[in-house]
């Protein structure tokens, strides 16, 4: 009769280490990436997840604005960007953005997420104007806006330092930065997938400056294309080091590469096993970043449920069909979930749903009366 599998000595040592809350080394992270023992990875990541968040799984009420998909860059993995005049491009005017925001008055949304292409002409003044208009319409909303890639170019166009640009945007209503534009920091990979946009050093410098100015941020990693495990570990090491210095990252979001309509389509997509493994290793390695988010429109609802057993504590938000960046690359067509659906999804996976604001404080709403 086959014997019950036992942990290897290396696995046992890791179990002890994680129980003692000791940070993983790069070699240990690599060992876990190479492991075929998915159940062990889930159990290890769950140790950390439970210690940090118990059975809570967070979500929020948000919507997205993508001001334009016109972009000066040509990242190999991108399905969203268009050149000026190319079919399928859009550029919202400030009035159109105001009209979008007006749809959410009285709906209870707490956050707007604003990310778009890097427009050839728009500087800090344009973006500060749209932030002011949104805050006029939705005064209590948290604005999480602009990747470091967009910020680098808008600061340069307005001849401002990162500090000056970020302060002007903060004054206009910016509350935090999303994590996009990080892709893969390792130069060998960055050169091949997004050679010309903000470099690793620039991405990190912009987030460091934001943190110093009291603007928290998120961090992402685009995985599942041409990178190897060592590149993922290098990426997370740079994030862990910056977090040690500033403490300004709220959340880490692994973004699975989706293959439709872009120049890397021939690579295909990694399996759900790889997604789960990646969540678990990120939860374990990034011990100093409090939250790990599974962005459900990109991996789908069932995978999002499973991810909760692999270290994830946040499923992002209602989104309300306001993003195209992933649907154009093969993600969910019209991503939207009501809070009831999100809560059901979380409960049926065995976790306790908790609505959060953008800083992970619980949102308490009055119980409806009949
Ligand atoms: O940097 C583009 C990614 C990012 C593809 O902070 C792709 O809460 C997969 O910033 N397959 C922008 N990913 C999105 C972003 C974001 C998303 C969700 C949550 C948060 C947050 C921020 O979208 C880009 C790039 O890494 N992306 N194309 C693609 N084909
Ligand atoms: Fe432009 Fe962003 Fe697409 Fe790169 S990923 S081409 S920066 S929209």
């Amino acid at each position: 009769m086959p014997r019950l599998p036992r942990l290897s000595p290396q696995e046992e040592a890791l179990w002890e280490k994680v129980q003692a809350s000791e940070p993983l080394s790069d070699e240990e992270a690599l060992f876990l990436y190479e492991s075929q023992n998915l159940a062990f990875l889930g159990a290890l990541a769950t140790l950390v997840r439970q210690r940090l968040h118990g059975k809570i799984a967070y979500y929020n009420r948000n919507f997205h604005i993508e001001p334009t998909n016109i972009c000066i860059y040509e990242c190999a993995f991108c399905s969203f960007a268009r050149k000026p005049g190319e079919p399928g491009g859009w550029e919202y005017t400030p009035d159109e953005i105001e009209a979008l925001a007006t749809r959410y008055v009285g709906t209870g949304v707490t956050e707007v997420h604003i990310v778009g292409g890097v427009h050839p002409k728009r500087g800090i003044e344009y973006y500060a104007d749209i932030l002011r208009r949104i805050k006029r319409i939705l005064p209590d909303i948290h604005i999480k806006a602009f990747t470091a890639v967009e910020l680098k170019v808008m600061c340069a166009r307005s001849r401002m330092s990162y500090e000056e640009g970020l302060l002007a945007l903060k004054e206009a209503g910016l509350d935090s930065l999303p994590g996009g534009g990080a892709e893969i920091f390792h130069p060998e990979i960055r050169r091949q997938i997004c050679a010309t946009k903000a470099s690793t050093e620039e991405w990190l410098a912009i987030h460091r400056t934001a943190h110093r100015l009291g603007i928290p941020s998120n961090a992402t990693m685009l995985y599942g294309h041409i990178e190897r495990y060592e590149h993922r570990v290098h990426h997370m090491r740079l994030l862990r080091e910056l977090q040690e210095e500033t403490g300004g990252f709220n959340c880490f979001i692994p973004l699975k590469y989706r293959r439709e309509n872009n120049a890397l389509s021939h690579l295909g997509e990694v399996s759900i096993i790889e997604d789960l493994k990646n969540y678990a290793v990120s939860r374990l390695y990034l011990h100093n970043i409090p939250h790990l988010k599974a962005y459900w429109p990109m991996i789908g609802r069932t995978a999002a449920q499973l991810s909760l057993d692999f270290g994830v504590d946040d499923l992002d938000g209602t989104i309300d069909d306001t993003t195209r960046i992933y649907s154009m690359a093969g993600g969910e067509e019209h991503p939207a979930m009501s809070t009831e659906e999100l809560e059901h999804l979380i409960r049926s996976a065995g976790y306790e749903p908790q609505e959060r604001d953008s800083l992970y404080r619980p949102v308490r709403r009055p119980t409806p009366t009949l």
Side-chain angles (χ1 to χ4, degrees):
M1 200 162 66
R3 290 183 47 194
L4 192 65
R6 284 172 186 264
L7 293 185
S8 69
Q10 251 173 318
E11 286 170 337
E12 270 191 34
L14 273 165
W15 183 259
E16 298 294 325
K17 195 165 184 181
V18 171
Q19 262 188 332
S21 304
E22 287 173 33
L24 292 195
S25 68
D26 291 7
E27 294 68 33
E28 287 162 336
L30 276 173
F31 168 80
L32 290 174
Y33 266 133
E34 300 290 353
S35 163
Q36 296 292 318
N37 193 346
L38 198 62
F40 176 64
L41 285 175
L44 264 189
T46 298
L47 269 181
V48 178
R49 187 224 190 277
Q50 297 277 43
R51 192 188 298 138
L52 292 172
H53 311 291
K55 292 297 269 183
I56 288 176
Y58 294 97
Y59 70 92
N60 71 347
R61 293 195 198 193
N62 63 350
F63 69 104
H64 287 219
I65 295 179
E66 292 165 349
T68 183
N69 66 343
I70 303 295
C71 190
I72 58 174
Y73 297 119
E74 291 176 24
C75 301
F77 53 81
C78 183
S79 321
F80 169 81
R82 296 289 181 274
K83 293 292 165 215
E86 201 184 325
W90 69 83
E91 295 168 86
Y92 293 137
T93 63
D95 285 348
E96 285 171 321
I97 288 182
E98 236 185 273
L100 280 174
T102 306
R103 286 178 15 202
Y104 293 91
V105 173
T107 60
V109 290
T110 59
E111 176 186 277
V112 56
H113 165 117
I114 311 178
V115 167
V118 181
H119 194 274
K121 297 220 174 92
R122 293 174 171 173
I124 294 284
E125 302 70 19
Y126 167 86
Y127 290 101
D129 178 35
I130 67 172
L131 298 186
R132 273 192 215 97
R133 286 169 181 245
I134 294 170
K135 279 271 158 105
R136 249 198 324 265
I137 296 163
L138 296 162
D140 298 326
I141 204 148
H142 177 110
I143 304 186
K144 168 166 64 97
F146 315 131
T147 65
V149 170
E150 296 167 89
L151 287 165
K152 178 197 158 179
V153 175
M154 60 176 103
C155 289
R157 189 149 299 127
S158 299
R159 299 187 193 287
M160 288 182 177
S161 64
Y162 300 152
E163 176 163 339
E164 289 165 338
L166 283 165
L167 278 175
L169 294 170
K170 187 178 182 192
E171 226 232 333
L174 179 73
D175 294 299
S176 67
L177 305 188
E183 321 314 357
I184 286 284
F185 288 144
H186 197 285
E188 190 189 310
I189 303 300
R190 204 167 184 83
R191 189 165 21 85
Q192 295 178 66
I193 63 170
C194 56
T196 51
K197 72 182 185 185
S199 66
T200 298
E201 293 68 28
E202 289 166 332
W203 192 98
L204 292 168
I206 289 170
H207 282 256
R208 181 181 286 109
T209 309
H211 296 171
R212 186 163 48 75
L213 299 175
I215 304 170
S217 70
N218 293 337
T220 58
M221 173 173 77
L222 180 73
Y223 70 95
H225 43 91
I226 57 167
E227 89 292 355
R228 296 192 301 276
Y229 290 144
E230 67 211 60
H231 302 121
R232 294 192 207 171
V233 175
H234 169 266
H235 186 94
M236 292 194 289
R237 185 186 337 125
L238 297 187
L239 291 175
R240 191 163 90 167
E241 285 170 3
L242 183 54
Q243 180 72 342
E244 215 48 48
E245 192 186 315
T246 66
F249 289 120
N250 274 334
C251 169
F252 180 62
I253 311 144
L255 294 172
K256 176 196 183 112
Y257 163 68
R258 301 301 310 261
R259 66 182 288 255
E260 307 255 311
N261 308 312
N262 61 59
L264 297 180
S265 288
H266 59 279
L267 295 174
E269 292 176 3
V270 295
S271 69
I272 183 164
I273 295 171
E274 193 56 44
D275 299 330
L276 297 176
K277 192 185 262 192
N278 192 59
Y279 285 123
V281 181
S282 337
R283 180 59 285 162
L284 291 161
Y285 186 84
L286 292 173
H287 64 93
N288 56 1
I289 300 190
H291 297 281
L292 178 64
K293 186 191 284 189
Y295 188 59
W296 68 262
M298 191 180 48
I299 54 166
R301 296 161 199 231
T302 313
Q305 281 181 309
L306 265 173
S307 74
L308 296 172
D309 282 340
F310 288 80
V312 165
D313 64 281
D314 182 16
L315 296 188
D316 203 83
T318 43
I319 299 172
D320 199 24
D321 189 13
T322 45
T323 175
R324 298 195 61 198
I325 190 159
Y326 294 109
S327 51
M328 288 166 89
E332 181 143 345
E333 248 326 302
H334 294 288
M337 261 203 265
S338 65
T339 50
E340 291 73 25
E341 282 174 292
L342 263 166
E343 294 212 351
H344 176 73
L345 192 95
I346 291 169
R347 271 209 192 87
S348 59
Y351 289 83
E352 290 162 25
Q354 173 65 65
E355 183 180 349
R356 62 162 178 91
D357 68 10
S358 304
L359 303 175
Y360 289 87
R361 294 172 301 207
V363 173
R364 311 251 179 247
R365 297 190 186 263
T367 336
T369 44
L370 293 174

